[in-house]
Amino acid sequence: MDMLSMDTALTPHPHGPGIIVEHASGQSQSDKDEIYRFDSGQELPHVEGSFYARTQFDVPVQGAFGQDPEGQLRSDYKDLDTLLRRCGIEYFDKRRTMKCFWPASLLQRIMTKYRVVEELEAYRNTEPGLFHGAALGVLADTILRHYRKVFAVLVLISKGRFIQVAMDEGLDDTRLPLEMYGTTCQLYKTQKGTSQLKLVECFEGLGWDTCHRECFSEYQYAVDPCVLTLENDGRTPRHKDYHDKVVLPFTDEAERQTGGYGIVTKVTVHEGCHEFHALLKSVSSSSCANRVRLLMLPAYQNREQLRQEAIDK
């Protein structure tokens, strides 16, 4: 992997399910910047020298993340985009474009056949010629079997009506993630059975701008967050390198210790994105792991030495 880019690895740890190790070159962002997040009804704490006073901060229920999909009445939301965002899991990394992510199990609960048909029907009402005249129930079944993630991304970037042309081009969920290149953010898919890239032509026509393709590239990772797994022994976290665009399924992060080359933080992993359930139950622990962020790359001869020193610390 190109060492000038950011990548992330899951490595075994003797005192917990695992540690997340990120390798990055270059200077880090300021560690003094703090972002305060508050739940509905909580008060903002007084911080000396801060620009705000102690006050009450209420978030409207309709605007909160993480709502129960089964508890949403049709009169409660405008469209599928609204529902996806309302039920999404708030993402800890505020540097990313998306504010939340959607594990596969959550997408299944949100995107029921009824809701997908309803969304397709709304598109057809504004453009009667959409979907080649197909029965919407049949189309919805096909989407839910093979194109659920693709459709979710299109809905999130206000391009849901393009699902049929994406299907016509064979752009199913197995083709994600698409590769993005060039100043106009053109998207490419890997041709099956080869390593060759082919331009996704359905995202090049009328109605598609650079910003739409760029948003698609970002949100495709939000509907497909990585899943942390174990080795065959059922106890050892499986090591894997992750590209910097991959969404790590962390819902909370708290600084634990700073020193050496990086910062060690405790993170909470979403329950739908790890296979540690039996292991955590056996040790009476929560869905937490240690995350090590390296602020600069030391002159290590190999990555195994880096991982071992992170564990030892």
Side-chain angles (χ1 to χ4, degrees):
M1 178 172 287
D2 183 0
M3 298 306 289
L4 294 179
S5 64
M6 175 81 78
D7 62 287
T8 304
L10 174 67
T11 298
H13 189 277
H15 304 299
I19 63 172
I20 305 300
V21 180
E22 286 185 317
H23 316 277
S25 60
Q27 295 182 345
S28 68
Q29 297 182 346
S30 172
D31 298 318
K32 297 181 180 180
D33 295 336
E34 295 186 50
I35 299 176
Y36 294 90
R37 298 190 296 275
F38 302 92
D39 296 328
S40 176
Q42 286 187 320
E43 292 186 341
L44 299 177
H46 174 71
V47 179
E48 196 67 34
S50 62
F51 63 88
Y52 59 81
R54 189 177 183 87
T55 184
Q56 188 75 16
F57 182 72
D58 291 319
V59 178
V61 174
Q62 291 84 355
F65 295 115
Q67 296 187 39
D68 181 12
E70 285 78 16
Q72 302 296 315
L73 301 176
R74 182 61 190 91
S75 58
D76 294 336
Y77 60 91
K78 176 183 177 182
D79 50 26
L80 188 56
D81 173 57
T82 304
L83 188 62
L84 281 166
R85 296 178 188 277
R86 184 176 296 174
C87 299
I89 306 302
E90 187 173 10
Y91 193 41
F92 82 103
D93 189 349
K94 303 308 176 185
R95 297 169 299 177
R96 301 292 290 265
T97 300
M98 66 280 188
K99 294 181 174 64
C100 45
F101 65 93
W102 297 266
S105 58
L106 179 59
L107 274 185
Q108 292 175 5
R109 294 170 58 203
I110 298 172
M111 300 177 67
T112 62
K113 180 177 179 178
Y114 173 81
R115 288 168 176 163
V116 171
V117 169
E118 189 176 58
E119 187 76 5
L120 297 173
E121 188 174 35
Y123 297 148
R124 181 175 278 178
N125 287 340
T126 58
E127 298 182 51
L130 284 178
F131 315 131
H132 310 320
L136 297 185
V138 175
L139 180 59
D141 286 335
T142 303
I143 290 173
L144 294 176
R145 282 197 302 269
H146 305 293
Y147 302 89
R148 188 191 302 265
K149 294 176 182 179
V150 172
F151 187 50
V153 176
L154 291 174
V155 168
L156 288 166
I157 65 173
S158 301
K159 294 294 180 183
R161 67 184 186 277
F162 285 89
I163 183 60
Q164 183 66 65
V165 294
M167 293 168 63
D168 292 344
E169 195 164 333
L171 193 62
D172 60 33
D173 289 347
T174 64
R175 296 300 187 97
L176 299 182
L178 302 179
E179 300 287 342
M180 184 178 70
Y181 294 99
T183 58
T184 58
C185 302
Q186 291 182 306
L187 297 173
Y188 293 81
K189 61 182 179 181
T190 302
Q191 298 198 68
K192 291 185 178 180
T194 72
S195 59
Q196 295 181 337
L197 295 177
K198 179 178 174 57
L199 179 67
V200 178
E201 297 180 0
C202 63
F203 296 163
E204 293 291 320
L206 184 65
W208 282 86
D209 297 322
T210 299
C211 63
H212 297 131
R213 290 187 289 271
E214 189 172 27
C215 286
F216 187 100
S217 180
E218 180 79 356
Y219 273 100
Q220 67 180 334
Y221 294 101
V223 301
D224 193 24
C226 67
V227 177
L228 309 183
T229 60
L230 295 170
E231 296 289 357
N232 294 333
D233 61 8
R235 298 192 60 84
T236 306
R238 179 173 287 118
H239 174 77
K240 187 176 181 180
D241 292 333
Y242 296 106
H243 192 276
D244 62 321
K245 292 183 179 180
V246 168
V247 168
L248 300 174
F250 303 155
T251 58
D252 187 51
E253 181 179 46
E255 185 167 331
R256 302 283 287 179
Q257 183 177 358
T258 302
Y261 291 104
I263 301 172
V264 179
T265 55
K266 181 180 180 180
V267 296
T268 302
V269 184
H270 187 268
E271 61 182 3
C273 296
H274 69 79
E275 297 179 356
F276 304 153
H277 302 285
L279 179 60
L280 292 172
K281 185 177 181 180
S282 68
V283 297
S284 300
S285 181
S286 60
S287 301
C288 295
N290 288 326
R291 175 174 180 250
V292 179
R293 181 162 62 94
L294 299 183
L295 303 182
M296 59 181 294
L297 269 180
Y300 287 96
Q301 296 298 316
N302 57 69
R303 193 168 294 176
E304 183 60 36
Q305 181 183 357
L306 185 151
R307 289 199 299 271
Q308 188 57 51
E309 293 202 10
I311 293 173
D312 294 340
K313 292 181 180 180

